[in-house]
Amino acid sequence: MAFICRNAALLLKPCRAAPALLSAGRLYSSGGQYEYILVEKRGEKNNVGFIQLNRPKALNALCDGLMKEVGRALDDFEVDADVGAIVITGSDRAFAAGADIKEMQNRTFQECYGGNFLAHWNRVSTVRKPVIAAVNGFALGGGCELAMMCDIIYAGEKAQFGQPEILLGTIPGAGGTQRLTRAVGKSLAMEMVLTGDRINAQEAKQSGLVSKVYPVDQLVSEAVKCGEKIASNSKLVSAMAKEAVNAAFELTLAEGNRLEKRLFHATFATDDRKEGMTAFVEKRKASFQDN
Ligand code: HXC
């Protein structure tokens, strides 16, 4: 298998950190070194962007550098015409144990507010390609928030989700109070945010936070399979579908339905819509050209 390793020396460290990744797909790098994440393309057609958080000693605590690297990797995948979906995962032990508490410990209000601390995390929720979070182990605080910025969450059987910020004398700051409440409803969200109690994978499934639960060792491959399924559809139309679903969180029902209708109409301007319906009538598989 040929690896894309434009700067082999710089990539040596992450390559060594997780050799399993090397045999699973192509290393992917445009523009430099990643210190905290591993990035490659996976799937039979190499059309699934794959980001693995790789700060094992800190349980993938989301330091500033790590989140900046995630943003850069997403930027690369966003403009990569081959990539139709993106998977973000961590390790078996931790998706991410939260924002880096050691990094935050001595921050002042002036630094947080003046520097708009954590604003760049928002990149995860502005990506137009579908993003799947594959969560094994801890997804706490900012880790849970990172997962919730993704479009689909798959969980491993031992996953634990929580917003424990209250135990640190603070509150969620990257969407935890908002996205969790929309996902699981007020009572459970309030309980998690006010007590810091965690929920397990089954509870997360029952409450609607995650869509599927898999054995720990199957989670990542199932997430990549989901990514491949998405990537086999029209990328153009998938972006419209994602935009329409996300509008449900922002707009009134009437406004949302109106936007949906306009986007539905817009699909009729694409070759892919024509190909999809023609293929159905001709009883063959559609071949989308993202056009
Ligand atoms: C920095 C962290 C960390 C974190 C774990 N570590 N979580 N470092 N920030 N969020 C480090 C520990 O300091 C330790 O390193 C190593 O990871 C292993 O952690 P242990 O605590 O020894 O492991 P364990 O006993 O198994 O407990 C696992 C754990 C616990 C339950 C996940 O680590 C924990 O409670 N972590 C904090 C979880 C949390 O409060 N998250 C919310 C953060 S605030 P050393 O070198 O010290 O041994 C947040 C705000 C978001 O996310 C706001 C917007 C983004």
Side-chain angles (χ1 to χ4, degrees):
M1 183 169 302
F3 302 121
I4 297 179
C5 218
R6 288 187 197 153
N7 190 334
L10 290 176
L11 283 166
L12 208 55
K13 193 172 159 198
C15 292
R16 277 185 180 150
L21 280 175
L22 287 170
S23 58
R26 290 191 304 162
L27 267 178
Y28 184 90
S29 167
S30 76
Q33 178 187 20
Y34 290 113
E35 186 180 352
Y36 302 110
I37 61 175
L38 297 151
V39 181
E40 61 179 18
K41 293 201 267 188
R42 284 202 180 181
E44 272 175 29
K45 296 185 179 160
N46 274 320
N47 55 5
V48 179
F50 188 85
I51 299 172
Q52 181 169 16
L53 312 181
N54 187 35
R55 233 193 134 197
K57 284 187 188 149
L59 302 184
N60 290 333
L62 304 166
C63 60
D64 210 42
L66 187 152
M67 287 308 292
K68 284 193 174 131
E69 289 186 2
V70 168
R72 266 175 44 213
L74 291 173
D75 287 345
D76 282 349
F77 286 142
E78 188 84 299
V79 296
D80 185 329
D82 295 334
V83 168
I86 299 161
V87 170
I88 301 181
T89 194
S91 67
D92 287 358
R93 190 167 170 222
F95 177 73
D100 191 317
I101 300 168
K102 292 167 190 168
E103 203 175 71
M104 287 187 291
Q105 183 186 2
N106 295 315
R107 275 188 185 256
T108 63
F109 162 77
Q110 287 80 358
E111 286 165 355
C112 287
Y113 188 79
N116 207 1
F117 180 45
L118 300 180
H120 63 285
W121 282 42
N122 204 34
R123 179 67 185 114
V124 183
S125 59
T126 61
V127 178
R128 297 181 76 203
K129 292 183 178 174
V131 185
I132 304 155
V135 176
N136 267 323
F138 299 113
L140 303 179
C144 187
E145 292 172 306
L146 173 61
M148 292 190 293
M149 284 180 198
C150 300
D151 302 307
I152 297 170
I153 308 179
Y154 279 7
E157 277 168 347
K158 300 211 170 123
Q160 293 188 42
F161 297 83
Q163 298 289 161
E165 288 90 342
I166 199 80
L167 306 175
L168 300 168
T170 185
I171 70 168
T177 61
Q178 304 304 299
R179 293 196 178 93
L180 186 65
T181 307
R182 283 163 167 80
V184 307
K186 177 175 166 180
S187 182
L188 181 56
M190 206 55 109
E191 190 183 356
M192 290 170 69
V193 169
L194 293 177
T195 66
D197 285 353
R198 303 176 203 153
I199 58 172
N200 63 31
Q202 286 308 334
E203 290 165 325
K205 171 87 166 61
Q206 277 158 19
S207 62
L209 181 60
V210 312
S211 55
K212 298 229 169 68
V213 178
Y214 290 103
V216 172
D217 59 350
Q218 291 169 28
L219 172 73
V220 169
S221 61
E222 291 296 338
V224 171
K225 268 189 224 162
C226 176
E228 286 183 281
K229 213 182 267 186
I230 291 169
S232 71
N233 297 323
S234 164
K235 295 181 188 68
L236 203 58
V237 178
S238 291
M240 292 184 197
K242 171 168 171 168
E243 185 180 346
V245 173
N246 277 334
F249 296 98
E250 309 284 349
L251 304 178
T252 65
L253 183 61
E255 288 165 342
N257 280 333
R258 189 175 142 80
L259 176 81
E260 179 197 79
K261 194 72 81 251
R262 294 295 169 246
L263 286 168
F264 167 70
H265 292 160
T267 65
F268 284 72
T270 69
D271 293 343
D272 286 340
R273 194 281 315 169
K274 189 152 201 222
E275 163 63 10
M277 293 191 183
T278 304
F280 175 82
V281 172
E282 293 176 356
K283 300 188 187 301
R284 61 175 173 82
K285 197 172 177 323
S287 170
F288 296 116
Q289 304 301 316
D290 307 318
N291 208 349

